[in-house]
Amino acid sequence: MQTKRVIFEGKVQGVGFRYTTKDLARGFDVLGTVRNLADGTVELIVSGERAEVADFIMTLSKESAVSHHIKSVTEEEIDPLPDLKGFTIVS
């Protein structure tokens, strides 16, 4: 299992990014959260098997309907979050 914190920069707020992320997560065996940050970026916390997490992030950042809004992606591995259930949008 792996948990990553991913920051997406670009025009990623106000374009349906969080909803697209949540919808895309249904096709992967991952848990997590997605939320807008005050600085205009979007934060994704995603947990699952390494390959599944990598495929999810790649699909979101390269192949999704919002991928063209992304200017940069920063990933860091973090400690697992035991309270993750499903995939949710955090306001």
Side-chain angles (χ1 to χ4, degrees):
M1 292 293 284
Q2 178 182 54
T3 303
K4 282 198 168 187
R5 178 178 186 255
V6 185
I7 301 295
F8 296 93
E9 293 183 63
K11 179 152 178 50
V12 292
Q13 291 189 13
V15 295
F17 196 96
R18 293 174 299 157
Y19 298 98
T20 298
T21 303
K22 182 177 179 180
D23 189 51
L24 185 65
R26 291 185 186 126
F28 291 85
D29 188 16
V30 295
L31 305 173
T33 62
V34 62
R35 68 180 177 144
N36 288 341
L37 298 180
D39 65 359
T41 62
V42 172
E43 176 192 62
L44 167 68
I45 304 293
V46 61
S47 185
E49 295 297 328
R50 283 189 184 279
E52 200 73 1
V53 168
D55 287 349
F56 176 65
I57 294 169
M58 191 278 303
T59 301
L60 177 61
S61 61
K62 302 288 187 198
E63 300 173 5
S64 72
V66 294
S67 63
H68 64 281
H69 293 290
I70 300 168
K71 297 289 184 226
S72 70
V73 179
T74 305
E75 298 180 32
E76 68 176 308
E77 192 162 347
I78 61 173
D79 291 333
L81 304 175
D83 56 338
L84 285 179
K85 292 181 174 70
F87 199 95
T88 58
I89 295 172
V90 179
S91 33

